[in-house]
Amino acid sequence: MSGSWQHEQHGSSTPTGSRVSDEQIVEQVRRAVLMQRLPPGTRLPEVALGEAFGVSRSVVRKALTRLVANHVAVQRPNQVARVASPDVDETREIFAARRLVEGEVVALLTGSLSPTVQKRLSALAKAEKAAFSLGDEERRIEESLAFHHCLAEHSPNRILGTMLGDLILRTSIVIALYKPVALESCYLAGDHDDLLAQLVAGQPDAARARIQTHLSSLEALLDLNAPASAIDLGALFGRGD
């Protein structure tokens, strides 16, 4: 999933009758988790997924392997895979790690963004705001993720950039899993614009503080009491007749 999700079209779906790949299954499951259609702990049986997508169990196994590798799902030996359900301690650790890593990445980027990257980040911030205004939460999430992935991709320290890319996905999964049902969106108005302004202004300490405050605000929104409900995978991912 890492590096590939950004190339998918927003809201894309697999046409009825076409052959589904493991990559498409990964993307659809990822989107379902991000949009809270698959709660934490949901079982992902190979047979049920195979029937839902109309593919063999071997294709499903490839998809599940990738989902596990990207922390969207977990699977113990000889057990059915489940949607990841990080406990409170792991959730806090993920946020703490991301604050450290992304804080350092933005500090390194401060004052060194090319005009092209500045324009890209500005466009993503505007697109996220527009999606929020239209009530398109799926699009808003993707634009927000793309903003942070852009920072990771242009990190002067490639190791930190790779680490950040992984933490962005893990954080987004945690937010999706534990965002209160009554909360329509985790959009924090103006945060991305403020961060970009500080990056351009050449204020590394201010940029670091801005991103850390941003992440802490997101963490504070979470409700770590996971819902318990049965999910019909056929109805969720069914491709129709």
Side-chain angles (χ1 to χ4, degrees):
M1 187 186 308
S2 296
S4 66
W5 69 270
Q6 297 176 72
H7 302 295
E8 297 287 340
Q9 292 184 347
H10 295 294
S12 62
S13 60
T14 305
T16 301
S18 65
R19 184 175 180 179
V20 178
S21 68
D22 60 292
E23 182 177 358
Q24 290 169 320
I25 295 174
V26 169
E27 178 62 15
Q28 290 199 42
V29 171
R30 184 190 73 86
R31 286 179 179 276
V33 172
L34 290 181
M35 297 309 298
Q36 295 184 298
R37 295 192 294 267
L38 277 177
T42 300
R43 298 173 78 253
L44 301 172
E46 290 180 7
V47 173
L49 282 174
E51 293 175 348
F53 287 102
V55 297
S56 67
R57 292 181 67 175
S58 63
V59 175
V60 172
R61 289 192 193 102
K62 290 180 181 179
L64 289 174
T65 296
R66 295 179 60 194
L67 288 166
V68 170
N70 286 281
H71 312 289
V72 179
V74 294
Q75 185 170 26
R76 294 185 175 86
N78 302 317
Q79 292 190 16
V80 174
R82 293 177 179 271
V83 173
S85 182
D87 60 22
V88 174
D89 288 339
E90 183 179 353
T91 297
R92 299 306 183 200
E93 289 169 358
I94 290 171
F95 272 96
R98 183 167 169 189
R99 278 190 291 269
L100 288 172
V101 173
E102 192 158 14
E104 190 59 29
V105 167
V106 298
L108 291 171
L109 282 170
T110 301
S112 65
L113 291 179
S114 69
T116 299
V117 175
Q118 290 181 34
K119 185 178 295 185
R120 171 66 174 157
L121 289 170
S122 179
L124 288 169
K126 290 179 180 177
E128 181 190 11
K129 182 178 180 179
F132 175 74
S133 298
L134 293 172
D136 188 345
E137 181 62 2
E138 183 168 354
R139 181 65 177 266
R140 187 204 67 77
I141 289 172
E142 296 293 356
E143 300 294 357
S144 178
L145 290 174
F147 182 95
H148 290 280
H149 273 286
C150 185
L151 296 175
E153 290 164 6
H154 292 90
S155 171
N157 185 309
R158 290 176 296 176
I159 302 301
L160 286 176
T162 299
M163 292 171 64
L164 178 55
D166 176 69
L167 287 167
I168 289 169
L169 178 57
R170 296 185 72 170
T171 309
S172 66
I173 296 299
V174 168
I175 291 172
L177 295 181
Y178 298 114
K179 180 171 73 71
V181 175
L183 183 64
E184 294 184 2
S185 175
C186 285
Y187 178 63
L188 299 175
D191 274 21
H192 287 160
D193 288 325
D194 289 346
L195 174 60
L196 179 56
Q198 309 217 349
L199 287 170
V200 174
Q203 302 173 6
D205 291 339
R208 182 187 289 110
R210 175 69 271 181
I211 193 64
Q212 291 177 343
T213 299
H214 172 74
L215 294 170
S216 293
S217 297
L218 288 175
E219 182 179 4
L221 294 175
L222 302 185
D223 176 1
L224 298 178
N225 296 311
S229 58
I231 300 297
D232 183 343
L233 296 177
L236 181 62
F237 297 120
R239 304 171 64 215
D241 297 326

